[in-house]
Amino acid sequence: MKKIEQWMERFLLPIAVRVGNIKGLIAIRDGIALAMPLIIIGSVFLIISSFPISGWTEGLGKLADGRLLQMMNHVVNSSFGIMGLIAAFGIGRGMANQYQVDGTSAGVLAVSAWLILTPNILSEEGQGIPVTYLGSRGIFIAIVVGLITAWIFQWFIRRIIVIKMPESVPPAVSRSFAALIPGTVILLLAFLLAFIIDLSAFENAHMLLATSLAGPLGFIGGTLAGAMLTVFLNSLFWFMGIHGGNIVGSVTGPIFLANTDANRLAFQSGQELPQILTSQFFDMFAYIGGGGAVLGLVIALLFFGKSAQSKALKPIASVPNLFNISEPVMFGLPVMLNMNLLIPFLLTPVINVVIAYTATNAGLLHKTIGVAVPWTTPPLISGFLATGHISGVIWQLIIIGVDILCYLPFFLLVDKAQRDVE
């Protein structure tokens, strides 16, 4: 075990640190996080307008001749439904900040480039942007546009290929003029790319990218194997003391967020929910208790911990873990780099995914309805809100029971070894 630990510290840990410091991944993570308040607020309106109680939606639909329900859905579309637009700005700004140049200007240019690459709707009433691409379907172009825009922007700024204003000019005005040359190049490139794609067989840049990424995105976001790989890598990074969600989530987060929004749109329109693997599927069923699904470990600690260390950890670890905060037990027991807990820590979330995916596929567990339930919501409550169905509560209970069984024999060994030392 000691040799395995040393090998992980020598070879895997440096790789994980390098991956975690990649500028693009940090920008994607921070950029999408910028939209999270809107997603959560929009989810509150979605819950209220579609609460799973017989007659609730019917009753709302009768108020003010249905206009109240229409306005609530409009709020959802205007918050949850613009994550692609917000991501374009956030990723462009975040990437520019990584290069230590003006992030706000880069973010604004990224939004403009994103809009150029997004098709317009022409009608007798005027011109508009399809709501479809403002939301989840626009995220992947937002990632590409945000990263490339920021890179081009910093290239010009660092080489001082800008319009320089006298020192007496206010800084805000000076920054605006500094962005003119790189901004012209960025928007011209976006225009040329949009024009070339328009002449091709593809409808627009969004369709081109979706077609190109159909294979890898379909594997990660639509298969059990992809879900198992996602949670395994997340746990592996956490075990080495690195925030697995920040690294793995930077790559997989946009995919599962898009799946979440696809279910939200289907739920609003009364259609069949298309996706099993959403952000809430992982938060509410795979990572119960946080990284490594350590709620099972904490419950084992509460009922079977006999060492002085375990007794001291019980109040410290149990209360935060009810809200899926795992750090107290991760660093207090510790779980991190504790080879005695490596097997359950890596495999328990994988087992959870297999159970939840199989139950959902069999129709025993209701799919998540697209509500962005905060990851700190306690289990059972989160299961009901995420699925809008009692099956979410039942299967969370089943999974927690399985997790306790997974962790218990390994924890008993750790606790006994600690008692022997004491």
Side-chain angles (χ1 to χ4, degrees), residues 12-13 15-22 25-26 29-30 33 230-253 283 287 289-292 323-328 330-331 336-337 345 375-376:
L12 291 184
L13 191 58
I15 294 172
V17 171
R18 283 195 215 103
V19 171
N21 289 329
I22 293 175
L25 292 182
I26 295 172
R29 180 196 69 203
D30 295 346
T230 297
V231 297
F232 179 84
L233 291 176
N234 182 289
S235 298
L236 182 62
F237 284 122
W238 265 115
F239 188 78
M240 291 185 290
I242 297 171
H243 199 299
N246 285 349
I247 297 176
V248 179
S250 298
V251 178
T252 62
D283 288 343
Y287 304 128
F323 301 92
N324 299 311
I325 298 170
S326 60
E327 280 80 358
M330 284 286 296
F331 300 107
M336 184 188 72
L337 291 176
F345 190 80
W375 62 271
T376 51

Side-chain angles (χ1 to χ4, degrees), residues 109-110 112-113 116 182-192:
L109 290 170
S112 182
I116 290 171
T184 301
V185 172
I186 290 165
L187 299 189
L188 180 61
L189 289 174
F191 159 73
L192 291 173

Side-chain angles (χ1 to χ4, degrees), residues 26-35 38 82-98 101-115 133-134 138-150 153:
I26 295 172
I28 293 170
R29 180 196 69 203
D30 295 346
I32 291 178
L34 191 65
L38 290 178
I82 61 168
M83 67 174 78
L85 182 65
I86 300 298
F89 173 82
I91 293 168
R93 185 191 67 171
M95 190 64 173
N97 287 338
Q98 293 290 312
V101 296
D102 181 16
T104 302
S105 294
V108 170
L109 290 170
V111 169
S112 182
W114 182 89
L115 288 170
Y133 294 115
L134 286 172
I139 284 180
F140 298 107
I141 283 293
I143 291 171
V144 175
V145 167
L147 296 178
I148 293 176
T149 294
F153 184 79

Side-chain angles (χ1 to χ4, degrees), residues 284-285 288 379-380 390-404:
M284 309 311 156
F285 300 105
I288 298 180
L380 307 188
I390 192 64
S391 63
V393 178
I394 295 169
W395 280 97
Q396 277 191 326
L397 280 171
I398 293 171
I399 289 171
I400 290 169
V402 171
D403 292 354
I404 294 170

Side-chain angles (χ1 to χ4, degrees), residues 16-217:
V17 171
R18 283 195 215 103
V19 171
N21 289 329
I22 293 175
K23 290 183 173 66
L25 292 182
I26 295 172
I28 293 170
R29 180 196 69 203
D30 295 346
I32 291 178
L34 191 65
M36 285 310 297
L38 290 178
I39 293 172
I40 293 172
I41 294 167
S43 294
V44 173
F45 278 88
L46 181 58
I47 291 171
I48 295 171
S49 64
S50 308
F51 201 73
I53 292 180
S54 179
W56 175 270
T57 308
E58 223 175 280
L60 277 180
K62 293 177 181 177
L63 294 176
D65 297 325
R67 290 197 296 273
L68 176 63
L69 189 58
Q70 285 181 345
M71 185 53 65
M72 293 182 80
N73 288 328
H74 180 60
V75 172
V76 175
N77 292 330
S78 301
S79 51
F80 206 133
I82 61 168
M83 67 174 78
L85 182 65
I86 300 298
F89 173 82
I91 293 168
R93 185 191 67 171
M95 190 64 173
N97 287 338
Q98 293 290 312
Y99 287 112
Q100 298 182 338
V101 296
D102 181 16
T104 302
S105 294
V108 170
L109 290 170
V111 169
S112 182
W114 182 89
L115 288 170
I116 290 171
L117 290 167
T118 300
N120 285 335
I121 295 175
L122 297 175
S123 69
E124 294 179 0
E125 296 180 3
Q127 189 173 3
I129 303 167
V131 175
T132 305
Y133 294 115
L134 286 172
S136 58
R137 289 186 65 181
I139 284 180
F140 298 107
I141 283 293
I143 291 171
V144 175
V145 167
L147 296 178
I148 293 176
T149 294
W151 187 87
I152 295 173
F153 184 79
Q154 65 83 29
W155 190 91
F156 279 88
I157 298 297
R158 286 185 166 188
R159 286 161 180 77
I160 320 179
I161 307 175
V162 297
I163 297 174
K164 295 190 70 175
M165 301 298 288
E167 292 184 4
S168 58
V169 174
V173 177
S174 185
R175 284 196 299 270
S176 297
F177 276 89
L180 280 175
I181 294 177
T184 301
V185 172
I186 290 165
L187 299 189
L188 180 61
L189 289 174
F191 159 73
L192 291 173
L193 180 59
F195 182 66
I196 292 170
I197 294 173
D198 187 58
L199 295 176
S200 71
F202 297 97
E203 294 179 23
N204 52 68
H206 298 271
M207 293 297 295
L208 172 61
L209 192 61
T211 304
S212 304
L213 296 177
L217 293 184

Side-chain angles (χ1 to χ4, degrees), residues 276 281 285 352-353 355-368 383 387 389-396 399:
I276 294 178
F281 175 89
F285 300 105
N352 291 352
V353 162
I355 293 171
Y357 188 94
T358 304
T360 307
N361 213 27
L364 301 174
L365 172 60
H366 199 278
K367 293 178 182 177
T368 58
T387 61
H389 198 269
I390 192 64
S391 63
V393 178
I394 295 169
W395 280 97
Q396 277 191 326
I399 289 171

